[in-house]
Amino acid sequence: MKILVTGGAGFIGSHTLVELNAAGHETVVVDNLCNSDRKALDRVAELVGHEIPFNEVDIRDREGLSHVMEAHHFDACIHFAGLKAVGESVEKPWEYYENNIGGTLVLLDVMRHHGCKNIVFSSSATVYGDPAIIPITEACPKGHCTNPYGQTKSMLEDIMMDMQRADKEWNIVLLRYFNPIGAHPSGRIGENPNGIPNNLMPYVTQVAVGKRPELGVFGDDYPTSDGTGVRDYIHVVDLAKGHVAALKAIERHCGCAIYNLGTGKGYSVLDVVKTFEKVNGIKIPYSIKQRRAGDIATCYSDPTKAEKELGWKAQYGLEEMCRDSWNWQRNNPNGY
């Protein structure tokens, strides 16, 4: 298939490009580089053995997107492009709604006018809010999202489901990610956050490489084994392979399909820290901070549906996630 990959220079997008090309798909990238680096695509080209066509276009740019769609006949779009920092979304709600929702509306409109009605959407387990059931299945009702970032994911899911109900030509796969960490085993591509990391693993690796003095652990009084929050961490390569598998649903004309992408295992913040220390032989100093508003105690998936319907199952464990995260950071202390 020929796939338009929006946000393809980002963390998950770049890893997915590698797996798509390994599976024989043809890819074209659209990215405005506001939260990513062009060098990531150069590294992807090294790994796959050929250049990846790239267009520096914002998804809100109708004319720019139209030019890309006219230049290629796409079979489907994998849509990663969007702002993604929870804390920033609370401070800048308008920017998040305007970019994530406004941009996606433009993308969907341009796609349908060019006869491409197949999309795999990068959603999030955030849409479950404080989940009604653990482990979380796709049948779990969506909850109240505690921040604008999560709201944009939930609202975009609703918009796409409404579009598919109205026009059965659409095939839409909503992938609800849990917590992607790790990096490509080569160490050539990985997570490269701007400024202070918002997620646990890049903060841990920046402490390990000496860029940050210590890790702040937000809360040690949750009802969990060690009091710290429990999450379902998934290796980014497994997550990337989940997108390749999702194309099978598109090919069989799935209508609208929803899948959790996670491992089905929950690890606490301190589990991650201790595993990182053990695997890499590096001490990670940390201090306990107050809980963050909106954080929940426990969140992990039941990924059975993806295995049953897509033949996809996470292969990597926490040790590999910690090893590959450090391999990336150690070889790229300042990112790209």
Side-chain angles (χ1 to χ4, degrees):
M1 295 173 78
K2 189 167 190 178
I3 315 292
L4 172 64
V5 183
T6 70
F11 174 43
I12 302 168
S14 59
H15 287 80
T16 301
L17 286 173
V18 173
E19 300 306 325
L20 286 168
N21 282 272
H25 297 289
E26 189 180 348
T27 54
V28 175
V29 171
V30 158
D31 200 308
N32 68 358
L33 303 179
C34 79
N35 195 30
S36 56
D37 197 306
R38 176 74 176 84
K39 295 191 189 76
L41 297 177
D42 297 334
R43 304 278 186 92
V44 169
E46 284 176 29
L47 293 170
V48 303
H50 59 82
E51 290 296 313
I52 304 293
F54 168 63
N55 303 269
E56 189 173 342
V57 173
D58 191 296
I59 56 169
R60 294 167 294 184
D61 176 0
R62 184 181 297 272
E63 187 179 350
L65 276 182
S66 295
H67 285 319
V68 176
M69 295 294 286
E70 284 159 12
H72 304 273
H73 178 72
F74 291 111
D75 298 299
C77 172
I78 298 182
H79 179 33
F80 297 108
L83 301 174
K84 62 173 187 171
V86 169
E88 183 183 62
S89 78
V90 175
E91 296 165 10
K92 299 179 175 179
W94 185 88
E95 285 79 1
Y96 270 67
Y97 289 118
E98 192 267 342
N99 183 88
N100 293 7
I101 293 180
T104 302
L105 288 174
V106 172
L107 172 67
L108 292 167
D109 195 31
V110 172
M111 284 177 64
R112 66 179 179 170
H113 281 106
H114 287 84
C116 179
K117 294 184 178 180
N118 298 314
I119 189 166
V120 177
F121 177 55
S122 166
S123 191
S124 169
T126 308
V127 302
Y128 293 114
D130 195 347
I133 51 172
I134 298 283
I136 302 168
T137 70
E138 292 82 355
C140 179
K142 293 211 293 188
H144 171 67
C145 295
T146 56
N147 55 76
Y149 161 75
Q151 287 274 51
T152 66
K153 294 295 187 185
S154 183
M155 292 164 74
L156 285 169
E157 283 195 359
D158 292 344
I159 288 166
M160 290 187 202
M161 286 190 266
D162 284 344
M163 287 182 64
Q164 198 282 326
R165 273 191 286 267
D167 180 355
K168 300 302 182 189
E169 289 184 5
W170 278 98
N171 294 293
I172 294 169
V173 181
L174 307 175
L175 296 181
R176 293 174 177 169
Y177 307 167
F178 280 70
N179 293 68
I181 59 175
H184 194 271
S186 66
R188 296 299 287 155
I189 56 175
E191 192 164 7
N192 184 40
N194 289 337
I196 299 171
N198 291 290
N199 298 325
L200 174 62
M201 186 56 81
Y203 211 110
V204 168
T205 61
Q206 288 193 11
V207 171
V209 85
K211 290 185 79 171
R212 313 250 167 227
E214 65 172 16
L215 172 70
V217 176
F218 297 101
D220 65 348
D221 57 350
Y222 287 104
T224 61
S225 60
D226 58 22
T228 64
V230 169
R231 297 292 182 269
D232 187 339
Y233 295 96
I234 177 172
H235 197 295
V236 66
V237 172
D238 277 330
L239 185 65
K241 289 178 177 176
H243 291 76
V244 180
L247 294 175
K248 294 176 187 172
I250 297 281
E251 287 173 333
R252 67 166 185 263
H253 304 290
C254 61
C256 186
I258 300 170
Y259 298 101
N260 288 335
L261 293 186
T263 65
K265 299 185 180 78
Y267 296 102
S268 75
V269 173
L270 293 184
D271 286 336
V272 174
V273 171
K274 288 170 185 171
T275 303
F276 187 94
E277 290 179 335
K278 182 183 89 171
V279 169
N280 299 310
I282 297 169
K283 194 74 182 160
I284 302 296
Y286 67 87
S287 62
I288 305 298
K289 311 284 188 188
Q290 282 190 316
R291 290 187 187 190
R292 288 183 301 196
D295 274 355
I296 58 177
T298 303
C299 180
Y300 62 94
S301 71
D302 178 345
T304 307
K305 185 182 176 187
E307 182 176 8
K308 185 178 171 186
E309 296 188 9
L310 303 177
W312 174 89
K313 186 177 182 181
Q315 301 298 313
Y316 293 103
L318 186 58
E319 290 197 358
E320 290 96 336
M321 298 180 215
C322 291
R323 178 199 66 204
D324 292 340
S325 294
W326 176 232
N327 185 42
W328 152 255
Q329 188 75 75
R330 182 184 56 189
N331 288 300
N332 303 270
N334 297 308
Y336 293 110

